Amino acid sequence: AQKVTQAQTEISVVEKEDVTLDCVYETRDTTYYLFWYKQPPSGELVFLIRRNSFDEQNEISGRYSWNFQKSTSSFNFTITASQVVDSAVYFCALHGSSNTGKLIFGQGTTLQVKP
Amino acid sequence: EAGVAQSPRYKIIEKRQSVAFWCNPISGHATLYWYQQILGQGPKLLIQFQNNGVVDDSQLPKDRFSAERLKGVDSTLKIQPAKLEDSAVYLCASSLTPDRGQTQYFGPGTRLLVL
């Protein structure tokens, strides 16, 4: 079975603080893909990043960075110097090679950034 | 490039009524997905189309839900009759191909409230 766990239901920080959103996944597939999506209050899921299981290199994009560790089955997401516009629900998702194409989503983490 | 379009954005109906949602994917995207997102949860796949054929509908409650993708472009999801537990956001997504790991791009969703 494939599963994604986002243990943090809600996180509240003050603007300019750094924040890390945790994601732990389970899969028996050797080839798989991990994703992060942002869901602002408008409701649309916005794609942030895709990572395949053979690429463990960490990635940085502006204030966003991702730490992928196969040894602990984790794919954590860090926002540096958070801003009010970062307030949203963030979802981690898994696509295993044994799946037809569906994404397995975690429960989501609600991030509130206060001014 | 235009994103995934969905309509209506909001719908309120009485239980046992029927309702239909429409989705137009990103131009050229062969694969289309319908997800159901219940409040406080991550999206769950209902059905996946490749062109106008169904790839995966294992999670679709077929006694009341139906979907079609005529001509392999836009798609319609129908619920008949609706139940209270169908209250959710219905998200449409598309990807360029069905290949493993393809990024799925989501529309704004249709928020359904069943009274």
Side-chain angles (χ1 to χ4, degrees):
Chain A
Q2 306 193 350
K3 186 179 178 182
V4 174
T5 301
Q6 294 180 255
Q8 304 151 308
T9 305
E10 291 184 26
I11 301 176
S12 181
V13 299
V14 177
E15 209 170 16
K16 297 184 183 177
E17 286 185 4
D18 298 347
V19 59
T20 295
L21 309 182
D22 298 333
C23 173
V24 174
Y25 62 91
E26 296 175 29
T27 180
R28 292 184 179 178
D29 293 329
T30 53
T31 302
Y32 53 89
Y33 298 82
L34 296 163
F35 300 80
W36 275 95
Y37 285 87
K38 174 182 180 179
Q39 189 172 43
S42 60
E44 184 171 346
L45 279 166
V46 178
F47 166 72
L48 295 177
I49 191 171
R50 180 187 76 165
R51 173 69 69 215
N52 74 54
S53 53
F54 297 107
D55 182 1
E56 291 193 65
Q57 196 169 18
N58 292 331
E59 181 155 339
I60 299 174
S61 176
R63 297 183 297 107
Y64 295 170
S65 62
W66 290 269
N67 184 353
F68 177 32
Q69 293 197 341
K70 285 180 76 170
S71 59
T72 56
S73 296
S74 66
F75 186 43
N76 297 336
F77 172 31
T78 297
I79 302 174
T80 303
S82 60
Q83 300 176 1
V84 173
V85 294
D86 296 327
S87 298
V89 182
Y90 290 86
F91 289 96
C92 180
L94 166 70
H95 174 213
S97 57
S98 61
N99 273 346
T100 50
K102 68 181 177 185
L103 291 174
I104 307 297
F105 284 86
Q107 295 283 81
T109 296
T110 300
L111 174 65
Q112 184 181 32
V113 182
K114 299 177 180 178
Chain B
E1 180 182 82
V4 177
Q6 289 188 248
S7 67
R9 291 296 311 276
Y10 304 92
K11 191 75 178 178
I12 301 174
I13 61 173
E14 301 278 334
K15 61 182 179 183
R16 290 189 289 274
Q17 285 186 326
S18 63
V19 65
F21 314 128
W22 174 84
C23 171
N24 191 285
I26 293 172
S27 178
H29 280 198
T31 311
L32 185 147
Y33 313 79
W34 282 102
Y35 287 82
Q36 180 192 57
Q37 184 179 17
I38 292 172
L39 187 64
Q41 298 182 17
K44 288 184 172 62
L45 182 75
L46 291 174
I47 188 167
Q48 176 186 346
F49 290 95
Q50 171 60 21
N51 295 314
N52 59 352
V54 175
V55 174
D56 183 355
D57 63 356
S58 57
Q59 300 300 307
L60 187 73
K62 298 180 188 61
D63 58 332
R64 298 182 300 105
F65 285 65
S66 64
E68 60 183 11
R69 192 184 182 197
L70 300 176
K71 301 180 182 178
V73 182
D74 54 355
S75 174
T76 303
L77 177 69
K78 296 179 181 177
I79 307 175
Q80 183 179 11
K83 291 185 175 182
L84 296 178
E85 58 260 36
D86 297 332
S87 293
V89 177
Y90 292 85
L91 294 162
C92 180
S94 69
S95 63
L96 190 59
T97 72
D99 293 344
R100 298 186 181 103
Q102 279 286 314
T103 298
Q104 297 179 24
Y105 296 93
F106 287 79
T110 296
R111 295 179 184 270
L112 173 67
L113 179 59
V114 182
L115 302 175

